[in-house]
Amino acid sequence: MFSFDIVGHSTESQARAGVIKTSHGDIETPIFMPVGTLGSVKAVSAEELFEAGAQVILGNTYHLYLRPGCEIIGRFNGLHRFMHWSKPILTDSGGFQVFSLANLARISDEGVTFQSHIDGSKHLLSPEKVIDIQACLDSDIMMCLDQCIQYPATREQCRAALAMTTEWAKRCKRAYQDSGNGHNALFGIVQGGMFVDLRRQSAEELMDIEFNGYAIGGLSVGEPVELMLEVADSTLPELPKAKPRYVMGIGTPENIIELVARGADMFDCVLPTRNARNGQMFTQTGTVNISNSRYKDDTDPLETDCRCYTCRNYSRAYLRHLFMARELLAYRLNTIHNIFYFINFIKQMRTAIVADKFETFRRKFYGKREL
Amino acid sequence: MFSFDIVGHSTESQARAGVIKTSHGDIETPIFMPVGTLGSVKAVSAEELFEAGAQVILGNTYHLYLRPGCEIIGRFNGLHRFMHWSKPILTDSGGFQVFSLANLARISDEGVTFQSHIDGSKHLLSPEKVIDIQACLDSDIMMCLDQCIQYPATREQCRAALAMTTEWAKRCKRAYQDSGNGHNALFGIVQGGMFVDLRRQSAEELMDIEFNGYAIGGLSVGEPVELMLEVADSTLPELPKAKPRYVMGIGTPENIIELVARGADMFDCVLPTRNARNGQMFTQTGTVNISNSRYKDDTDPLETDCRCYTCRNYSRAYLRHLFMARELLAYRLNTIHNIFYFINFIKQMRTAIVADKFETFRRKFYGKREL
């Protein structure tokens, strides 16, 4: 029940447009996935996500495993019904959070043991368990457990993490095959740090195992943007053309457009949602902070030509007032706009790719930012 | 453009059903008004209020005067467009907040001087200014400035506050007449503490001035429920039958039903919204706390036969999970249910009054609570 078809591509770049089919519906790529960490994209409802154009959201396995736990979500036959979202869900493997959030993460052959960041309780995430959890969540696109490393890291550290990632990927694939969960997809995650040859090696090893799609992990972990793009630039062409390519945890509109130009199809990031809650709003001409006093009596919407719920119904003055007064509605209205911005931005990009006008789109995108 | 018609009444009690007409639409009484302190009913949107059945909301003059201020709301020709709520709005006069929230409130003949609870800035609220602000908010139902006093208070304190309240009411009426704001209504507020004869005197003095409706202020300020009901019981019959009667700042479903039985038409309270944010949910069988661990794997909605958005789409387990994880959506979903509960409760009560079955309704209401 999982497939990927390319329906258009740019002749001036590697950008392509595709359709992923899942048992919960289609995903038009390139796609941006809002992050729903704990079974809720913070501050917005499923209906609002839908209205903003979201086709797929991301759930965090690590967080959901700790709270509310699989046993509870299992009673709803998965995350969709639990959180009242009927469209596709991609879940990460928890690897990234174990290494960034949890305490005392320790790697053994079996998996990773760690202490919960909430209550200090001890847990083990193994490749098998990670598949088990994601199957219980009924995730449409599951991710393999990978070993994320910090930046900078030595070649030796990267090589070791890569070896572990490949080993775990094999075990994830086996667990996936044994789980009878074949209607959902499993993606592998390329690691290798900032070493281009290790990235290539990781990609090859994963392709040997064969997955429904391939992700690039371990980017946007503190390295300069140029380095991130360089690594993506040399890794993306190594991945099979016929499978979706997902660059994890990225990012800004600028980074997304550059990665699409290099052949990436899928993105996720907390940027639109987290920044919304801090008052930073994305617009075609760049980001603005809604707390700025210049907006205090501004009766215009945030963006005059934006069709999101927020811009159709509320003024900058009202958004600023809510934000300054810390009204809960502020976080919602800001989040709706930012998600709409990201999704609409990438949707227009897709239209440009299908019409083979990607470079024109890219030029215009940067042109507006310079205004 | 303001009128009140009685369309039904109970022969077994003083309960009555009416329709208030305002230039922003009709209000079917008895009515519960959700509180939108700062131009937002906390955690919910105008559409959600509308869907929950809200016909009128309350705005707080004191809060809106301080933030964002009249000058800004004036640019939107009032609160309706500013906050994207097209139905009626009632605003209080700020009197209650000046005496409960602000610092150093000092009463002179001119009005009340006080320091803002936000930044300590000094302000004066006079009867004229209070009308001015409410006219700027384009409030459909404006309230006179009154002097609220603490409980307990001596007879002398109550008498002095009552005299001041009458004096201010006269000035409010004059300012209202001069303001050319006649399409909106002005209500007087009965004071007099817990002294029944002072309450009667206050009512009479206000009726001499003539208002579009009459409110009872200074209740639910710490006195026992029995005393509150006793004062309301002897004050409500003093008020004109042909005008709406509003008991301010009340309250629980139990208090509302008892006050309706005594002839009250309008209510406002932060209870459903504030308690929702603390996880306390109103149901037909009483209140429940959603954080209770018994709900942790409960796949049922909060109330099986409730038609609110929350109960139609979410389980107790999900509500509990969101609340425990402090997800912003928790506050919204809880608030939607509680507002729906209050509005639906009073709507059913109204239907019972029109059918002259109020006592049956009251009996059933208490019967369910004893389950």
Side-chain angles (χ1 to χ4, degrees), chain A residues 2-3 22 89-93 127-128 130-132 134-135 139-146 168-179 181-189 206 209-215 243-244 246:
Chain A
F2 181 89
S3 68
T22 80
I89 293 174
L90 178 147
T91 47
D92 63 10
S93 65
E128 293 75 18
V130 152
I131 295 300
D132 212 40
Q134 293 181 88
S139 168
D140 298 281
I141 303 177
M142 307 193 276
M143 303 299 296
C144 287
L145 184 63
D146 60 330
W168 286 351
K170 284 180 192 158
R171 283 166 58 188
C172 280
K173 176 73 185 282
R174 216 172 300 131
Y176 165 75
Q177 284 169 326
D178 294 347
S179 73
N181 207 52
H183 60 293
N184 294 330
L186 179 63
F187 281 23
I189 304 175
L206 292 177
I209 308 171
E210 266 192 60
F211 291 101
N212 301 106
Y214 297 87
K243 299 276 175 78
Y246 166 26

Side-chain angles (χ1 to χ4, degrees), chain A residues 269-291:
Chain A
C269 194
V270 294
L271 206 63
T273 42
R274 178 177 294 164
N275 290 22
R277 299 196 304 282
N278 293 323
Q280 194 186 51
M281 310 298 290
F282 287 86
T283 78
Q284 290 187 63
T285 51
T287 54
V288 300
N289 202 306
I290 198 64
S291 66

